[in-house]
Amino acid sequence: MRIVPIEDIKISENRQRKEFTPEALIELQSSLETGGLQNAIVVREQNGELILVSGERRLRAIKELYSLEVPIKYNGLQLKVGEAPIVTLGELSPLEAEQAELDENICLKDLTWQERSQALLRLSNLRQAQAAEKGETYTTRDLAIEVKGDARGGYQQAMRTNLIVAKHLDNPLINKAKTADEAYKLLKHEEKRQANIQLAQEVGKTFQNTDHKVLKGNCLEILAEEQFKKKFDVILIDPPYGMGATDFGDAGGRRDYVNHSYTDDSSSFKVLMTEF
């Protein structure tokens, strides 16, 4: 790695990427200003010139900050305005090569949510491996700062959501979701469904329908019967709770019918609790 004047880095005219959204560059500028530059610009040397290979977005963001006389740091090293750290292709380790491949894609706006989630997972795995080499750790908070320039809860949760669903994209149900958030909800629903199936299978080994009795009626009358004075497994009661539920109506049309057979006032509630 070496430090060179940023103007010495040339961008080839035949590079495929021509457009960069202002929003993405602003996000990156904010990240560079607060967290510094984590990785050097990758170049190749050709005819005595430094030709950009990877890091064009970072290069543009750095130039914009320098135009405002805003200095940045590179891995804790304070750079002078107008300087940029570079590495050549031959200097890259396997982890750095992975970094070079990800750099140009992680904040692109035209990625599908599936592609973006996969890219974020790759970036997180890469950063964790890089941190492990230094005896450090890399968290979801760090990922949020690097990608979004902000570590508030919503940004961290977005990172967690993407990292989780990226590991399940081989599931057609998850992959067909419209957004990462929708995929996450589907994944949690499926996990709960599978847990219920497993629980039912386990319970079914020792419990049968004949082991249980369900009674419906006035709980005070039922509990007064001699056979129920010794033991109760479950007592499930409907109001009265003293909250006026008898006047709630049909819940805005969501209930098919309304058939309140009780009075849910405070006096009824007191009777219930006294007897209970």
Side-chain angles (χ1 to χ4, degrees), residues 111-118 120 157-169 173-188:
L111 295 178
T112 66
W113 74 260
Q114 294 92 336
E115 292 169 336
R116 181 167 176 76
S117 293
Q118 289 176 318
L120 288 171
Q157 182 56 45
M159 294 299 106
R160 291 191 192 96
T161 296
N162 278 277
L163 296 180
I164 290 172
V165 299
K167 299 176 182 178
H168 298 273
L169 290 178
L173 177 66
I174 303 304
N175 198 297
K176 290 180 180 179
K178 295 180 180 179
T179 66
D181 286 336
E182 180 181 315
Y184 181 76
K185 291 178 181 178
L186 289 172
L187 182 62
K188 300 305 291 184

Side-chain angles (χ1 to χ4, degrees), residues 28-221:
L28 184 54
Q29 289 169 27
S30 176
S31 176
L32 291 174
E33 188 174 358
T34 56
L37 181 65
Q38 304 297 319
N39 295 277
I41 307 299
V42 181
V43 301
R44 57 184 171 85
E45 298 186 70
Q46 180 178 325
N47 299 326
E49 291 187 325
L50 302 175
I51 309 299
L52 179 73
V53 172
S54 175
E56 185 173 354
R57 286 187 312 100
R58 284 176 291 144
L59 190 65
R60 289 173 180 265
I62 293 170
K63 286 183 177 181
E64 184 63 28
L65 289 174
Y66 283 168
S67 72
L68 301 174
E69 296 297 319
V70 177
I72 63 173
K73 291 183 178 181
Y74 167 64
N75 284 338
L77 173 66
Q78 184 68 60
L79 298 173
K80 296 178 181 179
V81 171
E83 292 182 337
I86 64 166
V87 292
T88 63
L89 285 175
E91 298 178 84
L92 295 181
S93 68
L95 288 181
E96 291 167 338
E98 172 78 355
Q99 169 70 49
E101 184 178 345
L102 282 170
D103 274 340
E104 293 300 289
N105 296 319
I106 195 65
C107 286
L108 297 183
K109 297 299 183 181
D110 55 356
L111 295 178
T112 66
W113 74 260
Q114 294 92 336
E115 292 169 336
R116 181 167 176 76
S117 293
Q118 289 176 318
L120 288 171
L121 179 60
R122 287 179 61 191
L123 178 62
S124 178
N125 291 339
L126 171 67
R127 291 288 187 255
Q128 290 180 33
Q130 290 172 329
E133 287 187 338
K134 302 176 183 178
E136 300 172 352
T137 58
Y138 185 86
T139 66
T140 306
R141 181 179 186 277
D142 298 321
L143 182 64
I145 292 175
E146 179 173 353
V147 176
K148 291 295 186 180
D150 199 319
R152 284 176 291 181
Y155 291 101
Q156 290 191 56
Q157 182 56 45
M159 294 299 106
R160 291 191 192 96
T161 296
N162 278 277
L163 296 180
I164 290 172
V165 299
K167 299 176 182 178
H168 298 273
L169 290 178
D170 56 339
N171 183 331
L173 177 66
I174 303 304
N175 198 297
K176 290 180 180 179
K178 295 180 180 179
T179 66
D181 286 336
E182 180 181 315
Y184 181 76
K185 291 178 181 178
L186 289 172
L187 182 62
K188 300 305 291 184
H189 177 77
E190 180 63 15
E191 288 179 350
K192 184 176 181 180
R193 190 179 74 88
Q194 292 297 332
N196 287 340
I197 291 175
Q198 182 177 355
L199 178 61
Q201 292 173 340
E202 291 298 318
V203 170
K205 295 176 181 178
T206 54
F207 291 95
Q208 303 296 327
N209 290 342
T210 55
D211 295 324
H212 305 278
K213 179 183 291 186
V214 178
L215 302 176
K216 181 179 179 181
N218 185 314
C219 69
L220 296 182
E221 295 175 359

Side-chain angles (χ1 to χ4, degrees), residues 242-257:
M243 58 190 290
T246 47
D247 300 320
F248 284 0
D250 65 351
R254 292 190 297 274
R255 292 179 181 167
D256 294 333
Y257 64 91

